[in-house]
Amino acid sequence: MEERRMEALRRVCTAPVPTLSAIAMMLDLDVKPDATLQQLVMAISKGVKDAEGRDHEETTLKVVESLTHPIQITQSAPLAHSVSLRRELKLDGVITGGKDSLSFISFTRQLDAAHRRGYPEHEIMDAVITAVSPELPLRRVLEASRLDLEGMKRLIVQFFREPSPAELFTQLTQGTQQLGESAAEFVMRMMDLRQRIKHSSHSAQYPASLVDQTFRQNVLTGLTDMEMRVGLQDVLGQASCSDEDIFTKVHALGVCTRERDTKVSALAASSREQAPTTVHCNQVQREDGATVQSEVAKLTGVLEQLVARIQVLEREQGQAGGPQSSRSRYRCRQCIQANNSRCRHCWRCGSSAHFERDCTADKGRSGNAKVSR
């Protein structure tokens, strides 16, 4: 009998949920209609272990027979437990408005996937509200409003501040490789613009064929490396080229470019090492740091002495009244009496019609005097 009990417990652990629900009802066990598999197994195992004597034997036989010959559940008889294999919908990521926020493309893609999997609209709306950060006012607006799913999507698109399809298409047509941007990064940026145009709510005015053709043309003309453009011309010239083909070609060309740059750098370095070095006569290599410091100290002392000497000369010159020009030392008698520092007359005769060098008056009879200020 013990072997039958162990066999019954072993089969209980591997039985499906509908069978265990029927056995629990047959044994009159106190089990909820929505009990899980683990709860059913524990309840039946406990019922088998708690039975004593004849009841224990009958209970074990019932369980073994039920598990050996599964109970036939007709369509008319409602199931005591229904199993749902669909998981609760939850968007991957959180809408925060920052750098780590869920992107617009990922948001729309996950909503499309939820529609394809058959999730009802109210579950998708709950998932959208849950994906918004509780710290944002958008979360409170969505919870308080009675918008449908399309209204929520339009409101969230405004929150993302997604440019219009016309602006995105203009960026796609005018995109060029920026300074410091690799070819792979440029291609990735153009692919992102292409996908944003396709996922836009008003992208019907830009057919997918037009967007793809513009993308291929702009990638081909926006690259700055001539060799990269030539290498991608065959791939981008095909309308059926995939993103994988483009990235494979870009990666292969990038590897070749890096190898060539490495070889060129190594060749330039070896050329610099082999080039003759010119040493000038005034280039002296000093290994003793103390000698250099002593010479610097000497030069500093000499410089301080020169500065002190210049200051002394300036003070002496200031006490002497400063230098006087040679022309201010000579004045005529009239300017001397008037105490004019500037004399514009002839120093000999006092005439204002000429200067001393042109004066014809007798020097001995001249009344002018040579006076120093």
Side-chain angles (χ1 to χ4, degrees):
M1 191 62 194
E2 184 65 22
E3 294 179 357
R4 288 187 177 182
R5 188 176 69 85
M6 296 301 297
E7 180 67 18
L9 294 177
R10 186 183 64 82
R11 293 188 179 185
V12 164
C13 295
T14 58
V17 173
T19 303
L20 295 179
S21 299
I23 293 174
M25 293 178 62
M26 180 182 63
L27 298 178
D28 295 331
L29 298 177
D30 186 12
V31 179
K32 296 180 180 180
D34 56 347
T36 61
L37 176 63
Q38 183 179 3
Q39 293 174 349
L40 291 171
V41 171
M42 293 179 63
I44 295 174
S45 301
K46 187 175 183 300
V48 172
K49 292 179 181 180
D50 293 345
E52 297 180 358
R54 183 177 178 84
D55 294 337
H56 175 73
E57 183 177 355
E58 292 179 356
T59 302
T60 304
L61 290 175
K62 287 181 180 180
V63 173
V64 173
E65 184 179 358
S66 300
L67 294 175
T68 306
H69 305 285
I71 301 174
Q72 299 294 331
I73 303 175
T74 60
Q75 187 68 23
S76 59
L79 293 177
H81 182 79
S82 60
V83 181
S84 178
L85 300 178
R86 188 173 58 194
R87 296 175 53 188
E88 180 183 0
L89 180 60
K90 183 178 180 181
L91 299 184
D92 186 11
V94 181
I95 301 175
T96 60
K99 294 183 179 180
D100 299 333
S101 176
L102 180 67
S103 64
F104 173 73
I105 294 180
S106 179
F107 172 74
T108 55
R109 183 188 61 80
Q110 294 187 54
L111 291 188
D112 295 340
H115 281 294
R116 290 194 303 269
R117 293 174 184 174
Y119 282 95
E121 184 173 338
H122 67 276
E123 292 188 14
I124 299 177
M125 293 171 60
D126 293 339
V128 170
I129 295 176
T130 307
V132 180
S133 175
E135 300 177 356
L136 296 179
L138 177 63
R139 174 71 174 267
R140 296 187 289 272
V141 171
L142 293 177
E143 291 176 344
S145 63
R146 297 182 179 180
L147 297 174
D148 56 357
L149 182 58
E150 291 299 326
M152 285 186 176
K153 290 173 62 176
R154 288 193 295 268
L155 186 60
I156 292 178
V157 167
Q158 295 296 328
F159 172 78
F160 276 112
R161 298 179 181 178
E162 187 70 8
S164 63
E167 295 176 352
L168 294 174
F169 192 79
T170 302
Q171 295 179 15
L172 181 63
T173 55
Q174 298 179 356
T176 55
Q177 185 177 356
Q178 303 296 328
L179 182 64
E181 185 180 29
S182 64
E185 293 173 347
F186 168 69
V187 174
M188 184 72 70
R189 182 161 59 88
M190 293 298 102
M191 286 183 176
D192 179 61
L193 286 174
R194 181 193 61 184
Q195 294 303 118
R196 289 167 65 184
I197 295 173
K198 290 183 177 180
H199 283 83
S200 178
S201 58
H202 305 286
S203 61
Q205 54 184 327
Y206 297 102
S209 58
L210 175 62
V211 176
D212 292 336
Q213 181 181 359
T214 306
F215 161 75
R216 295 193 301 270
Q217 180 66 21
N218 186 69
V219 169
L220 190 60
T221 57
L223 290 168
T224 57
D225 190 358
M226 177 63 71
E227 296 183 2
M228 187 70 69
R229 293 200 300 268
V230 174
L232 289 175
Q233 189 171 5
D234 295 338
V235 178
L236 295 175
Q238 302 175 4
S240 60
C241 67
S242 62
D243 294 345
E244 183 180 359
D245 297 336
I246 297 175
F247 271 116
T248 302
K249 192 66 175 180
V250 169
H251 176 70
L253 294 173
V255 170
C256 294
T257 302
R258 287 192 296 271
E259 290 181 356
R260 183 179 63 255
D261 293 342
T262 302
K263 293 179 181 179
V264 170
S265 300
L267 181 61
S270 62
S271 300
R272 287 194 299 268
E273 292 177 357
Q274 296 176 1
T277 304
T278 303
V279 180
H280 298 281
C281 60
N282 58 352
Q283 292 181 349
V284 181
Q285 182 179 4
R286 300 182 181 272
E287 298 180 356
D288 189 4
T291 304
V292 176
Q293 293 180 358
S294 62
E295 292 185 359
V296 171
K298 292 180 181 179
L299 293 176
T300 304
V302 173
L303 183 60
E304 291 177 353
Q305 293 177 3
L306 291 175
V307 172
R309 181 59 180 168
I310 291 174
Q311 293 176 354
V312 171
L313 293 176
E314 289 179 350
R315 285 196 299 270
E316 293 178 353
Q317 186 176 1
Q319 294 175 359
Q324 299 178 355
S325 61
S326 59
R327 293 186 60 86
S328 63
R329 297 178 183 177
Y330 300 94
R331 294 177 294 175
C332 64
R333 181 173 299 177
Q334 182 179 358
C335 290
I336 292 174
Q337 294 177 356
N339 196 19
N340 293 331
S341 60
R342 303 287 294 179
C343 180
R344 299 185 180 277
H345 309 105
C346 178
W347 299 336
R348 293 181 182 178
C349 63
S351 174
S352 60
H354 59 271
F355 292 108
E356 180 186 11
R357 63 176 177 271
D358 299 327
C359 184
T360 58
D362 188 5
K363 295 182 179 180
R365 298 175 57 185
S366 175
N368 295 357
K370 182 178 179 181
V371 181
S372 175
R373 293 184 62 187

